[in-house]
C-alpha cells in the first residue's frame, strides 16, 4: 500500500519551543488516520506543515507523493483542509463562500454555482445559505467549513479537530460525513482530542505528545498497550484490600494496583464482561464486602500518562499489530 | 464504488469531472498550470475572484461606503474654507490651489483602510485556507489592490463633484483632466501596495490603524498640498519638493491648469516625470515585498 503521508523526523520550532520535535508519521492511502493528542501536543502544527502552510526546520515530508517543500504547488491541488483553524469568509454568505472556493478551484461560473447548490443540499445548509456565515451557529459553521473542503475531490483531506466544541448531534453529522468520504476512498487525516472519536473513525491512530508520536497502531493494538478498559472494585473494609487485590489480579491476568486512601483496587480489563463477572463471582465466594464494582474506559489523561511514562519499548510494541486485533 | 473510479492525480484525467456514488459531480483535484501563459491567466482569474470577495465585503457594509464619501467632502470643506479664510489670496483662489492637493491627500489616507483590511485578513483562518489551495500567491493582494482602485474611482468622482461645487475646475481640456485623474489613481496604487505591505508586517488591525496616521500626516504637511514649498524654510522646502505626494500634486495642478507656485527647482520642473516615476518605484519596491511577506505568513 502506498503512503499518502510520509513524514520523517519533522522539527518545527517557534522561538525556542519545539512544536514538532522529530515527528514520524506514515498514513496509508485510502485510510482514515487519527492523530490523537492533548492540547499543545503539536497536532495543528503537524497539519500546518503537511498542508504547506508553515515551513519546518528539519526532517522530510512527502504528502501524496509530493515533497512538501519543493512540490508545494502540485500538492496544494490535491489536498483539502478543514476544521478548527481553516475557516470560511465570515462576511460572505454560505453560498458565496462555496462559489468563491469553487472558482478558486478552477470551476467555471456555472459549475461553481451548481457545485455550491449540491453541497448546500448535502450539508443541509439550505435555510442559511444566503445569510452571512459570521452569524451561523457553531455546528452550521463547521458543516459549511466541511462543505468548502469538499468543493473538489481532494486525494487527501485534513480534518483538524472537526468536532471540537460541537454539540452531539452536529458531531454525529461530521462523523457520518467522514465515513462517507472514507467509503469513497478519500484518505483522511483526522486530528482529535477525543479518544472515542479516533476509536470510532480511524483505521489507525498515532498518539502525539510534546511534538512527537509516542504510539502508533490500530485502535485495538493501542488499547492492548494502554490497558484498554479497567476494572475497579472498592472495598468496604480496608483489611480486605490485600485479598481483593490478589483476586482481581488473578481474574484480570495482570497485577492489580491498590489505592489505600480510596480503598480502590484496579486492573486492566481487556475483556470487560468476562473480567467483571469473574471478579464479582470470586468476591462473592470470598465473602468480601464491596461498596462499588465496575469497569470504565481509561481517560485520555491516563492514556498519555501511561504512554509517556511507559518504559522504553512498551509503546513501540503497539506498532506491531497483535494477532487478536485481526478478529 | 471502487477506488479505481477516482481520478488519481497527477494522471491523465486531471481536471476532469468524476461521478461519485452520490450521483453528484465532484470536480477532480487541480493540476498545476502548464506553462507561464496559463499561470498568468490563473493569477488574473484568482485576482478577480479576490476582488469580487472584497467588493462583496463592501457591499455588505454600506456604512463603510458612506465613509468613502464623507472623508473627501470634509477635507474640501474644512481645508478649503478654514485654511482659505486665513490666506492672503482670496478664498476661491486658494480652493483652486487646494483641490488637487485634497485629491492626493484622500488617496494617501486610504492607506489606513487598506492596511487594516489586510491585517484583518492575515489573522483569519480563511487566508490559511487560500494558502493551502492551488491559488496564485499574488491573488489575494492583487485582488485587494483592484478593490482599492474601485474605491479610489468612487472617491475621485466625489472629489470632482465637490471640487466643482466649491469653485474648482479644470482649464486645459478634458483630455488633460483625465490624464491628471489617471496620475491620482496611479499614486493610489502605490499607496495601496505600501499599505498591503504594512498590513502584513504588523498583522494587528488595531496597531496598523494607529501606525498609519503618524506616517501619513507629516507626509501631507511636508508637501505642497496646503502650502507652496517656497514659503517654507529652505531645507523644509527642499524636502517638500521631493516628496512623492508633491510630484503628483504639482503634476495635476499643471494638467488641470490650477494655480501652483512654479518653483525653478529640478523637481518642480519635472513634476510630470516624477509623478509617474515615484509611484512606479514604490510599487516596484512594495509589491514584491508584500507578496514575499504573504508567502511566509505561516512561519
Amino acid at each position: 500500500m502506498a503512503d499518502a503521508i510520509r513524514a520523517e523526523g519533522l522539527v518545527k520550532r517557534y522561538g525556542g519551543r519545539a512544536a514538532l520535535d522529530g515527528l514520524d508519521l506514515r498514513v496509508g492511502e485510502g485510510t482514515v488516520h487519527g492523530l490523537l493528542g492533548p492540547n499543545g501536543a503539536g497536532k495543528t502544527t503537524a497539519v500546518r506543515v503537511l498542508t504547506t502552510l508553515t515551513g519546518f526546520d528539519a526532517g522530510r515530508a512527502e504528502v501524496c507523493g509530493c515533497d512538501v517543500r519543493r512540490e508545494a504547488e502540485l500538492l496544494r491541488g490535491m489536498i483539502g483542509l478543514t476544521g478548527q483553524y481553516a475557516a470560511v469568509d465570515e462576511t460572505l454568505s454560505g453560498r458565496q463562500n462555496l462559489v468563491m472556493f469553487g472558482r478558486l478551484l478552477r470551476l467555471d461560473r456555472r459549475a461553481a454555482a451548481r457545485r455550491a447548490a449540491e453541497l448546500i443540499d448535502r450539508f443541509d445548509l439550505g435555510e442559511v445559505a444566503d445569510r452571512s456565515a459570521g452569524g451561523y451557529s457553531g455546528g452550521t459553521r463547521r458543516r459549511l467549513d466541511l462543505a468548502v473542503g469538499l468543493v473538489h475531490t481532494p486525494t487527501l483531506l485534513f480534518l483538524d479537530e472537526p468536532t471540537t466544541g460541537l454539540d452531539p448531534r452536529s458531531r454525529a453529522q461530521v462523523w457520518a460525513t467522514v465515513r462517507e468520504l472514507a467509503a469513497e476512498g478519500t484518505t483522511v487525516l483526522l486530528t482529535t482530542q477525543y479518544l472515542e472519536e479516533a476509536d470510532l473513525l480511524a483505521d489507525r491512530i498515532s498518539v502525539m505528545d510534546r511534538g512527537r508520536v509516542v504510539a502508533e497502531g490500530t485502535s485495538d493494538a493501542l488499547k492492548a498497550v494502554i490497558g484498554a478498559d479497567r476494572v475497579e472494585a472498592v472495598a468496604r473494609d480496608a483489611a480486605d484490600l490485600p485479598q481483593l487485590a490478589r483476586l482481581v489480579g488473578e481474574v484480570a491476568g495482570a497485577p492489580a494496583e491498590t489505592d489505600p486512601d480510596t480503598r480502590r483496587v484496579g486492573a486492566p480489563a481487556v475483556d470487560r464482561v468476562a473480567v467483571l463477572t469473574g471478579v464479582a463471582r470470586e468476591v462473592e465466594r470470598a465473602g468480601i464486602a464491596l461498596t462499588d464494582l465496575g469497569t470504565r474506559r481509561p481517560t485520555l489523561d491516563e492514556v498519555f500518562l501511561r504512554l509517556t511514562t511507559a518504559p522504553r519499548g512498551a509503546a513501540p510494541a503497539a506498532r506491531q499489530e497483535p494477532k487478536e486485533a485481526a478478529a | 464504488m471502487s477506488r479505481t473510479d477516482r481520478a488519481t492525480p497527477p494522471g491523465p484525467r486531471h481536471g476532469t469531472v468524476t461521478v461519485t456514488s452520490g450521483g453528484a459531480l465532484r470536480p477532480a483535484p487541480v493540476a498545476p498550470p502548464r506553462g507561464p501563459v496559463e499561470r498568468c491567466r490563473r493569477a488574473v482569474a484568482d485576482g478577480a475572484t479576490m476582488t469580487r470577495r472584497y467588493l462583496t465585503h463592501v457591499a455588505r457594509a454600506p456604512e463603510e461606503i458612506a465613509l468613502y464619501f464623507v472623508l473627501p467632502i470634509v477635507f474640501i470643506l474644512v481645508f478649503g474654507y478654514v485654511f482659505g479664510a486665513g490666506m492672503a489670496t482670496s478664498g476661491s483662489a486658494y480652493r483652486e490651489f487646494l483641490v488637487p492637493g485634497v485629491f492626493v491627500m484622500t488617496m494617501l489616507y486610504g492607506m489606513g483602510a487598506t492596511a487594516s483590511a489586510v491585517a484583518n485578513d492575515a489573522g483569519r483562518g480563511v487566508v490559511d485556507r487560500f494558502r493551502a489551495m492551488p491559488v496564485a500567491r499574488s491573488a489575494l493582494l492583487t485582488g485587494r489592490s483592484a478593490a482599492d482602485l474601485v474605491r479610489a474611482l468612487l472617491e475621485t468622482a466625489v472629489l470632482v463633484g465637490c471640487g466643482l461645487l466649491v469653485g474648482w475646475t479644470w482649464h486645459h481640456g478634458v483630455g488633460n483632466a483625465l490624464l491628471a485623474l489617471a496620475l491620482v489613481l496611479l499614486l493610489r496604487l502605490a499607496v495601496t501596495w505600501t499599505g498591503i505591505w504594512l498590513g502584513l508586517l504588523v498583522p494587528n488591525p488595531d496597531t496598523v490603524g494607529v501606525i498609519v496616521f503618524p506616517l501619513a500626516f507629516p507626509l501631507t504637511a511636508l508637501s505642497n498640498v496646503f502650502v507652496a514649498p517656497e514659503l517654507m524654510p529652505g531645507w523644509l522646502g527642499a524636502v517638500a519638493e521631493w516628496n512623492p505626494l508633491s510630484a503628483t500634486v504639482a503634476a495635476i495642478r499643471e494638467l488641470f491648469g490650477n494655480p501652483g507656485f512654479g518653483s525653478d527647482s529640478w523637481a518642480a520642473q519635472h513634476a510630470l516625470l516624477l509623478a509617474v516615476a515615484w509611484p512606479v518605484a514604490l510599487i516596484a519596491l512594495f509589491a514584491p515585498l508584500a507578496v514575499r511577506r504573504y508567502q511566509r505568513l505561516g512561519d
Side-chain angles (χ1 to χ4, degrees):
Chain A
M1 186 170 58
D3 286 329
I5 297 177
R6 188 183 311 163
E8 283 162 20
L10 282 185
V11 175
K12 170 68 189 174
R13 286 186 207 92
Y14 287 109
R17 203 181 64 87
L20 295 182
D21 191 13
L23 177 84
D24 296 314
L25 184 66
R26 287 179 84 135
V27 174
E29 233 174 50
T31 65
V32 177
H33 196 101
L35 200 54
L36 181 68
N39 267 332
K43 302 186 301 287
T44 293
T45 306
V47 168
R48 291 183 63 89
V49 164
L50 295 173
T51 52
T52 77
L53 284 176
T54 299
F56 51 96
D57 301 309
R60 270 168 29 84
E62 244 181 47
V63 178
C64 299
C66 301
D67 185 283
V68 168
R69 231 178 233 159
R70 291 197 315 272
E71 296 165 294
E73 194 181 3
L74 181 64
L75 173 58
R76 287 188 200 111
M78 294 195 256
I79 55 174
L81 169 62
T82 200
Q84 198 182 14
Y85 296 103
V88 295
D89 188 301
E90 292 174 21
T91 314
L92 302 189
S93 71
R95 187 186 306 277
Q96 284 171 329
N97 265 293
L98 288 166
V99 170
M100 173 178 72
F101 283 105
R103 297 286 287 154
L104 292 174
L105 289 164
R106 319 247 79 83
L107 298 185
D108 64 40
R109 216 177 289 265
R110 280 180 53 202
R114 201 175 53 215
R115 184 71 188 136
E118 282 166 11
L119 288 166
I120 286 167
D121 250 21
R122 175 171 175 188
F123 287 90
D124 195 20
L125 292 164
E127 260 175 55
V128 296
D130 295 307
R131 274 189 245 149
S132 248
Y136 289 8
S137 69
T140 311
R141 214 184 140 123
R142 209 61 69 88
R143 288 210 305 280
L144 175 62
D145 198 37
L146 206 52
V148 167
L150 298 176
V151 167
H152 71 328
T153 315
T155 306
L156 168 62
L157 182 64
F158 290 88
L159 291 174
D160 191 15
E161 304 205 2
T163 62
T164 300
L166 287 193
D167 58 78
R169 193 173 142 264
S170 310
R171 183 174 298 176
Q173 280 177 334
V174 171
W175 287 347
T177 306
V178 173
R179 285 210 192 86
E180 270 173 54
L181 286 170
E184 285 170 14
T186 303
T187 310
V188 177
L189 182 76
L190 170 87
T191 78
T192 180
Q193 302 184 40
Y194 308 120
L195 191 57
E196 181 198 4
E197 184 164 281
D199 194 1
L200 217 59
L201 297 174
D203 299 312
R204 293 180 78 83
I205 299 170
S206 295
V207 182
M208 262 188 98
D209 187 45
R210 276 171 267 169
R212 57 173 71 191
V213 171
V214 292
E216 198 268 344
T218 62
S219 174
D220 287 340
L222 281 176
K223 277 185 189 160
V225 166
I226 61 185
D229 292 3
R230 291 178 66 78
V231 61
E232 284 187 350
V234 181
R236 187 192 292 160
D237 206 337
D240 289 334
L241 281 175
Q243 196 192 356
L244 180 62
R246 192 171 46 76
L247 284 179
V248 170
E250 272 168 17
V251 175
E257 291 143 27
T258 306
D259 179 0
D261 294 336
T262 56
R263 300 190 306 278
R264 188 182 298 266
V265 170
V270 179
D271 185 342
R272 304 199 305 160
V273 178
V275 171
L276 190 61
T277 50
V279 170
R281 198 173 49 237
E282 295 299 320
V283 163
E284 201 178 348
R285 191 174 296 162
I288 300 173
L290 297 182
T291 58
D292 196 9
L293 172 66
T295 61
R296 63 175 182 83
R297 323 209 80 187
T299 64
L300 199 52
D301 286 344
E302 285 172 321
V303 171
F304 289 114
L305 200 64
R306 179 90 189 197
L307 287 171
T308 51
T309 57
R312 244 171 234 285
R319 287 174 196 279
Q320 292 116 37
E321 257 167 79
K323 276 180 193 130
E324 58 271 23
Chain B
M1 139 180 180
S2 76
R3 285 187 45 76
T4 48
D5 289 346
R6 289 170 61 232
T8 41
R13 291 173 67 192
H14 236 323
T16 60
V17 168
T18 35
V19 180
T20 65
S21 51
L25 292 169
R26 285 182 68 184
V30 178
R34 287 173 292 263
V37 176
E38 197 185 345
R39 184 177 298 275
C40 277
R41 263 215 337 264
R42 284 191 183 182
V44 171
D46 290 346
T49 303
M50 295 299 184
T51 306
R52 205 168 306 125
R53 167 173 179 259
Y54 281 120
L55 292 179
T56 313
H57 286 184
V58 174
R60 288 204 172 231
E63 68 279 2
E64 210 183 307
I65 308 181
L67 202 66
Y68 294 1
F69 292 84
V70 170
L71 198 66
I73 295 170
V74 167
F75 278 170
I76 288 199
L77 293 183
V78 170
F79 292 110
Y81 286 91
V82 176
F83 282 26
M87 291 287 157
T89 48
S90 79
S92 72
Y94 181 68
R95 284 192 289 281
E96 273 266 293
F97 169 80
L98 178 78
V99 168
V102 174
F103 273 78
V104 166
M105 197 165 86
T106 308
M107 295 304 118
L108 180 67
Y109 275 78
M111 179 152 59
T114 304
S116 62
V118 169
N120 244 320
D121 250 1
R124 282 189 187 144
V126 67
V127 168
D128 273 352
R129 184 165 236 158
F130 292 145
R131 292 177 58 246
M133 285 171 66
V135 174
R137 297 316 242 175
S138 59
L140 187 77
L141 309 187
T142 53
R144 178 71 238 174
S145 65
D148 276 346
L149 271 188
V150 171
R151 170 181 169 169
L153 267 173
L154 272 175
E155 286 174 335
T156 310
V158 174
L159 282 167
V160 168
C162 281
L164 290 171
L165 284 178
V166 300
W168 163 88
T169 188
W170 56 88
H171 305 282
H172 291 167
V174 176
N176 278 328
L178 288 177
L179 192 59
L181 294 182
L183 285 179
V184 170
L185 293 176
L186 179 66
L187 180 72
R188 174 60 206 239
L189 200 59
V191 166
T192 296
W193 279 104
T194 314
I196 289 175
W197 178 73
L198 269 177
L200 291 171
L201 199 66
V202 189
N204 177 341
D206 299 332
T207 319
V208 164
V210 178
I211 286 178
V212 168
F213 185 76
L215 278 178
F217 185 72
L219 207 58
T220 329
L222 277 181
S223 76
N224 59 1
V225 170
F226 303 119
V227 179
E230 302 92 271
L231 303 178
M232 300 178 183
W235 65 273
L236 216 57
V239 171
E241 289 207 326
W242 283 95
N243 184 330
L245 298 185
S246 298
T248 304
V249 174
I252 66 175
R253 276 182 185 141
E254 206 176 305
L255 288 166
F256 284 137
N258 297 136
F261 297 85
S263 134
D264 46 11
S265 74
W266 193 92
Q269 294 297 313
H270 298 83
L272 211 57
L273 174 72
L274 284 177
V276 175
W278 262 123
V280 168
L282 287 172
I283 294 167
L285 175 66
F286 286 112
L289 278 179
V291 172
R292 240 174 59 142
R293 182 90 205 150
Y294 173 72
Q295 283 173 341
R296 298 185 178 170
L297 261 188
D299 290 330

